[in-house]
Amino acid sequence: MIHTRTYRPVFTPGRPGVPIGISVDVPVLRRRLLRTATLTPDQQRLMDLLRLLLDQS
């Protein structure tokens, strides 16, 4: 996501009124979305086995 304050369109040299893209020299804001994954019963069984193995070491 690019914040609108730092949005910098790029123009062609011959047509200064026509933007052709966005400058890559802008800060990018990233949002992290953390959520619990929904596992199928088979995936949950494998995850439980993996946790069991990791807890034993």
Side-chain angles (χ1 to χ4, degrees):
M1 176 195 286
I2 297 175
H3 198 282
T4 54
R5 283 189 314 239
T6 56
Y7 182 86
R8 295 184 189 132
V10 176
F11 300 96
T12 58
R15 299 175 69 189
V18 180
I20 60 168
I22 304 169
S23 171
V24 294
D25 188 26
V26 294
V28 176
L29 305 175
R30 298 180 191 268
R31 290 186 185 168
R32 242 183 202 189
L33 177 63
L34 299 176
R35 63 179 181 251
T36 304
T38 305
L39 302 176
T40 65
D42 287 339
Q43 291 171 330
Q44 185 62 51
R45 184 179 58 80
L46 290 173
M47 184 62 74
D48 293 340
L49 288 172
L50 179 62
R51 285 187 180 132
L52 181 66
L53 287 172
L54 291 175
D55 287 342
Q56 289 179 0
S57 33

